[in-house]
Amino acid sequence: MKAAGQGDTMLSLEAFKGQFNVASLIDKIALPVLDQHRQPKALGHKSGPERANETVQDSLQVTEVLLKQFERADKELRRLQSQLDRQMQKMHRNVDEAEADYQAQVTELEAVVEEVHDQFQSLDQQMSRASQTATKVGDRLQSAENMRARAEEAITCIQYIQSFAMCTDLAELPELFQDSSRLPEAAAMSGRLQSLARDVSGSRERASSGTKLSSAAVRQGSIEQAALQLENYRALLEKEVITSFDKAVHQKDLGTMAECAQVMTEFERGDSALMQLGLPALQRYISTRPLFIDARELALGQGAAQVTDASSAITALRSLAALYKTIIQAVKDEAMIMEQVFLDPAAALIMFVTRLFEQRVQASLDRLLVPPAPTASAETLQSYLKLVTEAFKRTTALAESLQEVVGKAASVADLASAAFSETLGDYPNMELQWLRLLHQSKTSQMSVELAEEHLAWNLEAVERCAVLSTEASCPAHVRQLFQGSPQQPTNSCLLQQMGRLIMGGLALAADACVKASETSYGVASAGSAVRAAIAKAASTASSEVLGRGLDAVATVTIIIGLLQQHHKVIQPHVESSASDSTACISGMATLIRSVEDRVLASMQAILNAFFAQMDRTLSSEQKRIDFRPPEDLPPPLDRPTDACLFATALLTTAAKSVLQTLQGSNGSAFTSEMASRMASLLQTHMQRYSYSPTGALRWKRDITEYTDCIRALHAPSASESFAELAALVNILLVAPEKLLGLIDGSLRISHQQALKYIKLREDFKTAKVGNATLAMMFAND
C-alpha cells in the first residue's frame, strides 16, 4: 500500500473555512490509505495459517502507513498554525496602525470642533453687541419720531389755537371744525386745545398775582380769546351732537347714533356738561327706553301691590311674571342695538340691566313683599314666606335668562340677590318665628301625628331656606332651623320643639300612671269572681296604669326614628360646613341621650306605680283566713287564692301589654324587671300573715301559680328568686323537729334570717323541740 506522494499537500487553510468538522478531516487523512487496503488480492492455494499471517502483515503495513499519514498531517497542521499565526500578527499590526490613524483623526477633529465652537461663541457675542446697538439706534429713532410727531402736533395745536384766538365768528375756523364728517376728531382736538389754553391762561394768572381778566378785557389774538372761543365752540358742538343723538334714537338710526356716541365719548375727555353724565350717550339712550318712560310698560308689576290673600298673591305674581318677560325681551333687543352703537356694548348692556333691577325689579318687589306685622299669625307668616320664595325663584330665573345675554362680563345673580337684601336681611328669623307660633298653637298631647306635623313644618322651612339662602349661608341657616343657636328664642328649632313634646308627653304619661295606680284593682265580689271577670278587670287596670306609659314610650321610639330619618334629609344641606354638620349631629345625639334618660326614668315610675297598685291589690284582696282557715271549713287546695288570681291576672295582662308595645331587648328588660320586683313584693307580702299547715299549703299553691305566671313571661333572671321563695314555704310546712335540718341543710340560710319566716308559723309560740322553743332554737347562728 502506498501513501500519497510526499510532495503533495494534504491540508490547506481553505479546508477550515465554513462548517468545519473534525470527523471529515480524519476521513480525508485516512480514507486514501484504507481504500488501497480494501482492494482484493489473489491468495492462490495458500493454507489457512499462511493466509492469516499474510492478513496480519497487511494490517501492520496499513497501520504503519496510517501513522505516517497522521504524522504528515500533524506536520501540515503545525505548518498551517504557523502560517495562521503569521497572518494574525500581520493583521494585529494592521489593526493597531489603523486604530492609531483613527485616534489621530479623532484628535484632529476635536481640535477643529473646539475651534469652531470658539468661533461660534465669538460670533454670538458679536451678534449680541450688534443687536444691542440696533436696539439703541431703534430707540433713538423712535424717540426722534415721537419728538417729531409731538412737534408736528404742537405746531398744529398752536395753529388751531391761533385760529380760535383770531376768529370773531366760529364760521371762520379751519376745515376740521367745520366738516360734519370729522366731528369725533374735532371734539377730541377741541378738548386738547381747551385744556392747553386753560393751562397757559392759568399760568399767566398765577404770574400776574392771580388777576383774572373779564370777558370785556379779553383781547383778540390772546390765549384768553382762544379759550373763550373754544368754550363757545364746544358748547355749540355738544348741543348739535345731543340733538342729533336724540333724533337718531327717535328714528332708530343706528349709524347716526353710533357716530354721536363716538363724539360724546371724545367729549368725556374734557370737563363739559356731558362729562358730568359719566357715559352721556348711553345714559341718554337708556333713559329713553320704553320700560322707563312708556306708561303701558310702566304699569307692568303694579299688580304686585296690596297682597292680602292667596288670590291677590297669584294676581301679583302674574303681574311680576309679565314684567320679567318684558324685561328679558327688552334686554335681548337692546343687546343687538348696543352692539352696533356703542364702543363697549358689554358695558352698555350691563348698565342697562343694572338700571332695570334698580328701578323696575326693586320697585315691584318692594310693592309685593311688604313684611307682616310683628303680631302676625302663623298663617300670615307662612303666606308671606311662600310669596317671598316664589318671587325669589322668579327673580333668580330672570337673572339666569339675562346672564345668557350679558355673558361673563358681570354677574346678574348679584343684582338679583341685592334686590332681596332688605327682605332677607334677618333670614331665617321669620321662619323661626313661624315655627314657634305653630308649635305654641299645638297644645294636645304627644302623638306620632303631631310629631309628623312638626317634621313637615321643619321640612317646608328647610326647603325654603335652601332656595332663599346663599351657598355659603345655607348650612348655618338650616342648622338654626334644626338644631338652633344660643341667640335664638326657645322652642323655635325642631330639636327644641321635639324635646319639649317628648319630655312633656312622657311626664304626662307617668303622672297618669301614678294617678291610675292609686285605686286598688279588684272585682265587685271576690267570692264570686271567676277567671273571666278577673281577666277583664286586669285588662282594664293594666291599660290604666301601664297602658298610657308604655304607649308613650312606644310613641317616643317611633318619633325618634322619624327624627333620625328627617336628619338624613337635611344632612345634605349642611354637609358643606363641617361645623354646622357637627352641630346638627351633636344636637341630635344630645336629644337622644336626654330622651333615653327620661324614658328610663318614666319606665321606673311606671313600674313603681304598677307595683304600688299590685301591693294595694294584694293587701286588700288577701284575707288572713286564706292562710289560717277554720278547721271545720277546709279551703280548696286545687286553686289559688282570689288575691293570687287577681295578682297573676294583672301581671299577665301587663306583660302582654309590654311585649306588644316594647320591641326586642326593651320588652325583655322590662318584663325581667317586673319579675324581679314581683319576687321582692311576694317576699314582703308573705311576711304579712301567719300560716297554719293548711294555709301554708295554700300559700305554696299560690307560689306555684306565681312561678308559672313568671315562667310565661320568659324572664329567666327571676326564676332563681321564685325558686328560693318556693323553698322558703317549706319552713311553714315541716314539723318543728325538722326545721333545723331544713334550714342548715337544703336552705343554707342563717338562723336569724330563717327566724323571720319561722315566726310566721301558727305554732311558733307553742311548738317545742325537747324543752326548747322555736325562738330558743334559732336565737343564735
Side-chain angles (χ1 to χ4, degrees):
M1 179 183 298
K2 292 183 179 180
Q6 298 294 323
D8 297 337
T9 301
M10 296 176 58
L11 301 174
S12 66
L13 290 176
E14 297 297 328
F16 293 92
K17 294 181 179 180
Q19 294 181 351
F20 173 73
N21 192 330
V22 176
S24 299
L25 178 63
I26 295 174
D27 289 343
K28 184 177 181 181
I29 297 171
L31 283 177
V33 177
L34 295 176
D35 289 341
Q36 291 179 4
H37 176 68
R38 292 191 186 99
Q39 293 178 0
K41 295 181 179 181
L43 299 177
H45 299 282
K46 295 180 181 180
S47 61
E50 290 177 350
R51 287 197 300 270
N53 184 37
E54 187 176 351
T55 301
V56 171
Q57 291 297 327
D58 289 342
S59 298
L60 290 173
Q61 290 177 1
V62 170
T63 301
E64 184 179 353
V65 173
L66 284 174
L67 286 173
K68 290 179 179 181
Q69 190 79 347
F70 277 106
E71 287 176 357
R72 179 184 174 192
D74 181 60
K75 289 179 181 180
E76 290 191 14
L77 285 173
R78 291 178 184 277
R79 179 181 58 78
L80 291 176
Q81 182 177 3
S82 299
Q83 182 182 351
L84 182 61
D85 288 341
R86 287 191 300 272
Q87 292 178 358
M88 290 297 295
Q89 290 175 0
K90 183 178 179 180
M91 184 180 296
H92 279 301
R93 285 194 300 272
N94 293 337
V95 170
D96 291 340
E97 291 175 359
E99 184 176 1
D101 292 341
Y102 172 76
Q103 189 64 37
Q105 292 176 1
V106 170
T107 303
E108 183 179 356
L109 287 175
E110 287 178 349
V112 172
V113 170
E114 184 68 24
E115 182 180 357
V116 170
H117 180 70
D118 293 340
Q119 291 177 358
F120 270 111
Q121 284 186 334
S122 177
L123 178 62
D124 185 62
Q125 292 174 356
Q126 292 176 3
M127 291 177 64
S128 177
R129 288 194 296 271
S131 176
Q132 292 175 359
T133 302
T135 301
K136 291 178 181 179
V137 171
D139 290 342
R140 292 177 181 177
L141 290 175
Q142 183 67 33
S143 299
E145 176 63 22
N146 291 338
M147 292 175 64
R148 186 193 64 78
R150 286 198 299 270
E152 289 182 354
E153 184 179 359
I155 293 172
T156 302
C157 289
I158 292 173
Q159 292 174 350
Y160 285 150
I161 286 179
Q162 288 177 345
S163 299
F164 276 97
M166 298 300 297
C167 76
T168 57
D169 188 355
L170 295 179
E172 300 173 358
L173 292 174
E175 181 183 0
L176 171 64
F177 303 101
Q178 305 293 337
D179 190 354
S180 59
S181 63
R182 300 174 65 185
L183 288 181
E185 185 181 353
M189 177 57 74
S190 64
R192 289 195 295 272
L193 295 177
Q194 187 178 42
S195 177
L196 179 61
R198 287 179 177 177
D199 289 343
V200 174
S201 179
S203 299
R204 293 180 60 178
E205 289 179 6
R206 289 191 296 273
S208 60
S209 303
T211 303
K212 184 176 182 181
L213 296 176
S214 63
S215 300
V218 173
R219 294 182 297 103
Q220 184 175 5
S222 65
I223 192 67
E224 289 80 7
Q225 173 72 7
L228 181 62
Q229 293 291 7
L230 280 168
E231 289 181 1
N232 295 335
Y233 173 77
R234 286 176 66 81
L236 178 62
L237 183 60
E238 289 172 5
K239 183 177 179 181
E240 292 179 356
V241 171
I242 291 173
T243 302
S244 298
F245 184 80
D246 291 343
K247 183 179 179 181
V249 169
H250 181 70
Q251 295 177 350
K252 298 182 179 180
D253 184 352
L254 301 184
T256 303
M257 288 170 60
E259 293 176 1
C260 294
Q262 184 178 1
V263 174
M264 292 181 183
T265 301
E266 293 295 338
F267 271 117
E268 292 177 18
R269 304 176 188 228
D271 57 352
S272 66
L274 291 176
M275 181 61 183
Q276 300 173 4
L277 298 177
L279 294 174
L282 179 58
Q283 292 280 7
R284 295 184 66 83
Y285 177 73
I286 291 176
S287 63
T288 63
R289 296 303 83 208
L291 277 169
F292 300 113
I293 60 174
D294 187 88
R296 184 172 57 85
E297 296 195 6
L298 283 173
L300 294 173
Q302 297 293 333
Q306 298 181 349
V307 175
T308 57
D309 52 20
S311 177
S312 60
I314 293 174
T315 302
L317 289 173
R318 287 176 179 171
S319 178
L320 188 68
L323 171 64
Y324 287 177
K325 182 178 180 180
T326 303
I327 288 176
I328 293 172
Q329 188 59 46
V331 171
K332 291 180 178 179
D333 294 341
E334 296 301 334
M336 293 186 291
I337 295 174
M338 291 177 177
E339 183 72 28
Q340 304 177 54
V341 173
F342 299 104
L343 297 178
D344 190 352
L349 191 60
I350 291 169
M351 183 178 291
F352 178 56
V353 172
T354 301
R355 188 166 175 184
L356 285 173
F357 268 89
E358 291 175 349
Q359 295 189 9
R360 297 306 311 272
V361 175
Q362 186 69 65
S364 297
L365 291 176
D366 290 344
R367 286 191 296 269
L368 174 66
L369 305 176
V370 179
T375 58
S377 64
E379 291 77 9
T380 301
L381 288 176
Q382 184 182 28
S383 299
Y384 175 74
L385 288 169
K386 288 182 177 180
L387 187 61
V388 171
T389 305
E390 186 61 30
F392 187 87
K393 288 180 179 179
R394 297 190 181 208
T395 306
T396 302
L398 169 67
E400 292 175 353
S401 299
L402 296 182
Q403 190 71 64
E404 295 179 358
V405 182
V406 172
K408 299 180 180 180
S411 174
V412 185
D414 292 341
L415 297 175
S417 299
F420 284 86
S421 58
E422 184 176 352
T423 303
L424 301 177
D426 62 344
Y427 191 82
N429 288 339
M430 194 170 292
E431 295 280 10
L432 296 170
Q433 182 183 357
W434 173 62
L435 293 173
R436 184 169 62 255
L437 291 175
L438 288 175
H439 177 71
Q440 292 173 353
S441 67
K442 297 295 182 177
T443 58
S444 58
Q445 294 183 354
M446 175 184 65
S447 65
V448 174
E449 292 74 16
L450 184 57
E452 289 176 339
E453 275 190 288
H454 280 76
L455 295 175
W457 298 333
N458 188 262
L459 181 59
E460 179 182 338
V462 168
E463 290 175 346
R464 278 198 296 267
C465 183
V467 174
L468 299 177
S469 301
T470 63
E471 184 176 354
S473 63
C474 183
H477 290 168
V478 173
R479 176 184 60 80
Q480 286 182 266
L481 297 175
F482 181 75
Q483 189 259 343
S485 66
Q487 294 79 22
Q488 69 189 54
T490 57
N491 298 325
S492 56
C493 72
L494 179 64
L495 292 185
Q496 291 176 351
Q497 294 174 355
M498 297 297 276
R500 183 169 180 263
L501 181 68
I502 291 173
M503 299 304 182
L506 289 173
L508 288 175
D511 292 342
C513 292
V514 173
K515 186 175 181 180
S517 68
E518 293 175 354
T519 58
S520 299
Y521 152 64
V523 292
S525 174
S528 62
V530 295
R531 288 185 180 270
I534 292 174
K536 182 178 179 181
S539 177
T540 303
S542 176
S543 62
E544 289 293 329
V545 179
L546 281 179
R548 293 184 183 179
L550 295 177
D551 288 342
V553 172
T555 300
V556 168
T557 302
I558 296 174
I559 290 175
I560 291 297
L562 294 174
L563 188 58
Q564 290 173 329
Q565 293 177 1
H566 182 76
H567 176 258
K568 294 179 180 179
V569 174
I570 68 142
Q571 179 62 25
H573 298 293
V574 298
E575 61 185 4
S576 60
S577 171
S579 59
D580 293 317
S581 178
T582 302
C584 291
I585 295 173
S586 177
M588 186 76 180
T590 301
L591 175 63
I592 291 176
R593 285 195 300 270
S594 300
V595 169
E596 287 176 346
D597 294 340
R598 190 57 178 267
V599 166
L600 182 59
S602 297
M603 294 178 73
Q604 292 291 341
I606 292 170
L607 282 173
N608 292 338
F610 175 76
F611 280 101
Q613 185 190 47
M614 178 74 78
D615 190 26
R616 280 191 294 272
T617 299
L618 286 174
S619 299
S620 62
E621 300 296 335
Q622 195 81 68
K623 310 302 181 184
R624 295 186 180 276
I625 195 174
D626 290 339
F627 304 125
R628 293 185 69 179
E631 295 181 0
D632 58 346
L633 189 60
L637 299 179
D638 59 342
R639 61 181 296 272
T641 62
D642 288 340
C644 177
L645 291 175
F646 289 142
T648 54
L650 184 60
L651 192 63
T652 300
T653 53
K656 289 181 180 179
S657 179
V658 170
L659 295 176
Q660 291 174 356
T661 307
L662 302 181
Q663 304 298 322
S665 59
N666 291 333
S668 300
F670 196 84
T671 54
S672 296
E673 181 67 17
M674 288 179 64
S676 298
R677 290 200 180 198
M678 190 65 187
S680 300
L681 178 59
L682 290 177
Q683 284 191 357
T684 302
H685 181 66
M686 174 182 176
Q687 298 177 50
R688 293 172 178 165
Y689 305 96
S690 61
Y691 300 85
S692 66
T694 303
L697 289 173
R698 295 207 72 188
W699 177 240
K700 188 175 184 65
R701 178 65 183 84
D702 283 357
I703 294 299
T704 302
E705 189 72 14
Y706 289 128
T707 302
D708 292 341
C709 178
I710 293 300
R711 190 178 295 114
L713 295 180
H714 303 290
S717 59
S719 299
E720 185 176 350
S721 298
F722 277 88
E724 292 176 357
L725 185 60
L728 290 175
V729 179
N730 292 327
I731 296 177
L732 309 176
L733 289 172
V734 300
E737 60 272 13
K738 295 184 178 180
L739 280 172
L740 190 60
L742 174 65
I743 292 168
D744 292 340
S746 58
L747 292 182
R748 296 181 180 274
I749 60 176
S750 66
H751 288 187
Q752 185 177 2
Q753 184 180 1
L755 190 58
K756 294 189 301 181
Y757 300 101
I758 294 173
K759 289 180 179 180
L760 304 179
R761 291 172 63 101
E762 183 183 33
D763 59 355
F764 173 71
K765 296 181 179 180
T766 59
K768 293 183 178 181
V769 178
N771 294 325
T773 63
L774 297 181
M776 295 170 59
M777 289 175 60
F778 296 96
N780 299 313
D781 288 336

